[in-house]
Amino acid sequence: MIASSHNAEKKVFAIGDLDKSVKELRSEYVDLRSQLMKLKMESEIAEKMKTRGLKSSEVPPQKIKVVTR
């Protein structure tokens, strides 16, 4: 009887520890996802390319139509 209650307490503590780690990992995931979204923004990319000497084209792209027969 006592052994089964000790086993149950161990499982409760293990579940609590796992729950904490899941919350921490979820928080880390949200932080990294928001950082990625910021890095993928066009303004951020343009700023980084400016330091490398590249800039956006001022001429809009043209659509190329291919006619097959």
Side-chain angles (χ1 to χ4, degrees), residues 2 18 21 41 46-47 55 68:
I2 293 172
L18 289 173
S21 66
M41 289 175 54
E47 188 65 35
K55 63 177 185 171
T68 60

Side-chain angles (χ1 to χ4, degrees), residues 63-69:
K63 186 181 279 189
I64 299 174
K65 294 183 181 179
V66 177
V67 180
T68 60
R69 294 180 189 205

Side-chain angles (χ1 to χ4, degrees), residues 6 19 38 44 50 64:
H6 285 304
D19 200 27
K38 184 180 181 215
E44 288 289 323
K50 186 183 284 187
I64 299 174

Side-chain angles (χ1 to χ4, degrees), residues 25-66:
L25 288 172
R26 186 170 289 146
S27 173
E28 183 181 349
Y29 165 73
V30 169
D31 290 341
L32 290 174
R33 185 179 64 183
S34 65
Q35 289 175 8
L36 177 65
M37 289 301 217
K38 184 180 181 215
L39 289 174
K40 288 171 63 175
M41 289 175 54
E42 185 177 352
S43 58
E44 288 289 323
I45 293 172
E47 188 65 35
K48 289 186 183 207
M49 289 298 109
K50 186 183 284 187
T51 61
R52 294 182 179 188
L54 299 174
K55 63 177 185 171
S56 290
S57 175
E58 295 179 7
V59 179
Q62 295 179 353
K63 186 181 279 189
I64 299 174
K65 294 183 181 179
V66 177

